[in-house]
Amino acid sequence: MSFPGIPGAGSVPGGGGNMAGMSEQEQQMTKAIQATMESCAGKTVLSGVMGFALGGAFGLFMSSMSYDTPLSAQGQQLTNLPLREQLSRGFRDMGSRSYSSAKNFGLIGAMFAGTECCIESYRAKSDWKNGVSAGCITGGTLGAKAGPQAAAVGCVGFAAFSAAIDAFMRRQTD
């Protein structure tokens, strides 16, 4: 793998680094991994898996923060239950919310990465327009179930967020 600041990168297309000292099997494995990571299918699957993991962690954190206080009606009902039942309900709820967030983040990650990769391959350019277009397509697709207005808002929202992230990631550091 090639890391910024490490000398000797460049002997394999795509920045594979120096393969001197590697066995033939290690070189073949490195090339296979790089080819997978450079393909649209590989990027889509990796983004989906990473989105699923991040969404699960985010959902777990957010669900742990959403429990009512004992002062509310729902909190009173929960505090009247035995401790084991309270913990069981809490963990069950946290698990279902975490899984729901994980599915959503995984879907969004895979959809965005796959779309952006396909657009980049079609245009044969790597610039901000790919991310903005992929954001619009992803947001519009996700909002389409709720109607044309929601699809338009989703398109604009995802495109703007993609543009902001792309501008931040591509900025020149001084």
Side-chain angles (χ1 to χ4, degrees):
M1 291 175 43
S2 176
F3 295 101
I6 297 178
S11 65
V12 172
N18 189 357
M19 288 202 203
M22 288 186 173
S23 69
E24 184 67 30
Q25 185 178 9
E26 289 174 329
Q27 290 178 8
Q28 289 175 349
M29 184 61 89
T30 302
K31 290 178 184 179
I33 290 171
Q34 287 175 345
T36 301
M37 295 305 300
E38 291 174 1
S39 71
C40 287
K43 289 178 183 178
T44 301
V45 169
L46 181 65
S47 295
V49 169
M50 295 302 290
F52 188 87
L54 179 66
F58 183 74
L60 184 64
F61 175 74
M62 293 305 290
S63 67
S64 69
M65 297 294 178
S66 70
Y67 289 106
D68 291 328
T69 64
L71 302 175
S72 69
Q74 184 180 8
Q76 280 294 330
Q77 291 174 351
L78 192 61
T79 56
N80 291 335
L81 296 173
L83 178 62
R84 180 169 280 199
E85 181 64 24
Q86 289 179 26
L87 290 173
S88 174
R89 286 187 184 190
F91 285 136
R92 196 176 318 123
D93 183 50
M94 287 170 66
S96 67
R97 289 186 189 195
S98 180
Y99 183 66
S100 176
S101 288
K103 287 190 306 184
N104 290 335
F105 274 61
L107 175 69
I108 291 169
M111 188 182 298
F112 179 82
T115 306
E116 183 181 34
C117 187
C118 289
I119 291 171
E120 185 176 324
S121 296
Y122 179 75
R123 292 184 65 229
K125 292 180 184 177
S126 179
D127 60 7
W128 63 272
K129 294 175 185 176
N130 299 332
V132 171
S133 300
C136 181
I137 291 169
T138 301
T141 302
L142 293 173
K145 291 181 183 177
Q149 185 177 8
V153 170
C155 171
V156 171
F158 268 75
F161 185 71
S162 296
I165 295 297
D166 211 7
F168 177 76
M169 296 300 287
R170 291 181 188 263
R171 69 180 160 76
Q172 297 294 325
T173 57
D174 294 327

